[in-house]
Structures are given as structure tokens and as C-alpha cells.
Amino acid sequence: MDRVMIIGGPGSGKTFLAHELGRLTDLPVIAVDDFVHDEAGGVRAAERIDTDCRAAADGSRWIIEGGNSRTYDYRAARADCLIRLNPPLWLRLWRVLRRDGWNWQLLLWTWRYDRVFGPRNQKVMAKAEGTIAVVELDGRQAIEAFLATNAQRASPHRPSA
């Protein structure tokens, strides 16, 4: 496993899984959220976000966690493993509330995520099925079992000549 794409709604555990998997495998972790805002905190242009996401996916070894469904197909085509985190909605809402407080906009987005992006997540998973490993995890126990079974140190990277 050299290129892992992790998707899921707010509070699903994407960042936790990415960092744990990165720690165990020595794969670099890339957060899509880091491409969204500029140095001043403003939202960058969609084209720039997409370009940066695609450039990250062009690397030879990575874990990319986060949204930006406009680049799902590109990242999935480069990945050798696609993980969708899908814990229960109540748990995602609780995690967002605990992490971000009463951020109504984010809580509302978390509430609506499955209706808005559930079909898109299913589509990218179905398209990748049979060509790469596709995994859906529904909570902490499933994540821990996945890590115990699949998280192995990557072989040393040797640049091609």
C-alpha cells in the first residue's frame, strides 16, 4: 500500500486514520483541507484547490485524506487503496461538536453530508472496486482492525532511473 485515499464526512475520523496509518507505514499524510485556504485564511479558487489535489496525487507515495469530490476520480485512479469512513451520523455530529464547538454551519453540513455526498462516495467506490482495494469502515473498532491487519511499513522507496 503506497497510495491511500481516505474519504468520509466531517467527524468520520479521516485525520485520525490518516495519521495512524502514516505513522505505521511511513507514508506521508496530505490533508485536502490544507489546499482550501490561503495564508490569510480566505478560500482559494476551486481550480487552484483541484490543481494542488491532483499534484499531490501525482506523488509516488501518500495518504490523502479529505473531500474535494471534483478530484475523486483522479485520486482514485492513482490510489492503490480507497477507504471510506462511514460511522453513524450521531457519532460524527458528536465528534464535530466536541472538536469545533457550536459551529452551526459545520454541524448542518455534517447533518446533510450523506444526502449530498453519499451518492458521490458510492460512485467512486463502485468505479474503483475490482481495480484497487476498497474498504468501508464504520467506527473505531473497524479502524483498529484495519490498522492491525493492513498497516505495514512500506518498503524503502527507490526512485526510478
Side-chain angles (χ1 to χ4, degrees):
M1 215 171 22
D2 287 323
R3 293 178 304 279
V4 181
M5 178 177 165
I6 302 173
I7 60 175
S12 62
K14 297 180 301 294
T15 301
F16 171 80
L17 175 59
H19 285 284
E20 279 299 297
L21 192 56
R23 181 180 65 77
L24 294 168
T25 62
D26 289 330
L27 291 170
V29 175
I30 301 162
V32 171
D33 285 350
D34 291 344
F35 301 138
V36 174
H37 296 95
D38 61 23
E39 298 78 27
V43 175
R44 297 166 72 211
E47 299 80 26
R48 181 65 190 263
I49 296 167
D50 296 353
T51 297
D52 287 348
C53 284
R54 288 186 188 101
D58 285 338
S60 60
R61 301 178 69 242
W62 45 259
I63 298 168
I64 299 177
E65 63 97 349
N68 189 10
S69 65
R70 294 183 306 270
T71 63
Y72 271 10
D73 289 336
Y74 189 84
R75 287 185 280 154
R78 296 275 305 131
D80 50 31
C81 181
L82 169 61
I83 302 170
R84 177 183 182 209
L85 297 178
N86 192 27
L89 177 59
W90 67 265
L91 180 57
R92 288 181 275 154
L93 286 164
W94 168 248
R95 288 175 176 169
V96 168
L97 181 63
R98 188 179 65 205
R99 182 187 68 203
D100 299 299
W102 291 101
N103 180 335
W104 291 107
Q105 186 175 9
L106 186 54
L107 288 166
L108 184 59
W109 172 238
T110 304
W111 181 262
R112 292 180 176 166
Y113 181 87
D114 291 336
R115 255 181 297 135
V116 176
F117 279 99
R120 180 66 180 115
N121 289 346
Q122 291 297 330
K123 182 179 174 185
V124 74
M125 290 172 64
K127 188 174 179 181
E129 191 76 44
T131 61
I132 63 172
V134 177
V135 180
E136 186 161 10
L137 305 173
D138 62 2
R140 178 72 67 139
Q141 289 180 331
I143 289 173
E144 289 173 1
F146 175 83
L147 290 171
T149 305
N150 297 286
Q152 303 165 356
R153 293 258 181 233
S155 57
H157 177 65
R158 292 183 179 83
S160 57

